Amino acid sequence: MRKSGILLTMLLFLSVTACHHDKAYNMGEIAAVAAKNYYDELLQGHYDEYVDGTFYRDSIPDVYRRQLIANAKMFIGQQNEEHQGIKEISISHATADTTQCTADVFLVLKYGDKTKEKIVVPMIECHGKWKMK
């Protein structure tokens, strides 16, 4: 009887940890798709949608929002000047913290000059949506 109790406890532990791992994987995957979508918006010149993908605890003043949009435009201009633009964005991988509802998404930026850069995009889930921190 004792062996069956130990076996049952082990199976329960494995099922709980497996579910936790799957949840973290799914959260990371969802956050990664959201991050890539925000950066795709940036590449398409939809700077306002990119800025709207950023997490703010409270609403931000219009002046600050316009500054963030201007910064996004300048960033793309700089990448065009230095690297012949960003030609493609791909997801490398993501890690999620299920207790904090956060994730780190690793994206690969492929430039027109054939160079690549891996960046990390910290993400947070807020009201069912993933936003950039």
Side-chain angles (χ1 to χ4, degrees):
M1 182 71 179
R2 186 166 188 254
K3 285 183 181 180
S4 64
I6 292 172
L7 181 61
L8 182 61
T9 302
M10 287 176 52
L11 287 173
L12 181 62
F13 175 76
L14 288 174
S15 67
V16 168
T17 57
C19 291
H20 180 74
H21 179 268
D22 288 345
K23 184 177 179 184
Y25 177 76
N26 289 338
M27 284 180 66
E29 189 175 276
I30 293 166
V33 169
K36 183 180 180 318
N37 286 341
Y38 294 134
Y39 271 81
D40 285 341
E41 293 291 347
L42 180 66
L43 282 186
Q44 295 171 18
H46 303 152
Y47 306 111
D48 50 343
E49 283 91 353
Y50 171 78
V51 168
D52 290 343
T54 305
F55 173 74
Y56 303 102
R57 290 195 184 277
D58 300 314
S59 62
I60 60 172
D62 284 339
V63 171
Y64 183 54
R65 186 173 185 278
R66 285 193 303 270
Q67 288 174 346
L68 292 173
I69 291 170
N71 286 344
K73 287 179 186 179
M74 285 189 287
F75 171 75
I76 290 298
Q78 180 183 15
Q79 300 312 306
N80 288 337
E81 199 173 290
E82 293 178 5
H83 297 288
Q84 300 170 13
I86 301 170
K87 300 303 177 191
E88 184 182 341
I89 298 172
S90 60
I91 299 169
S92 173
H93 65 282
T95 58
D97 181 343
T98 58
T99 59
Q100 298 293 318
C101 294
T102 61
D104 286 327
V105 176
F106 296 84
L107 299 176
V108 178
L109 308 181
K110 297 176 185 172
Y111 295 103
D113 64 3
K114 308 295 184 215
T115 59
K116 295 179 186 179
E117 179 179 12
K118 186 183 277 190
I119 63 169
V120 62
V121 182
M123 302 288 286
I124 187 165
E125 186 181 26
C126 180
H127 304 294
K129 290 185 179 181
W130 283 96
K131 299 284 188 169
M132 299 178 290
K133 284 200 240 172

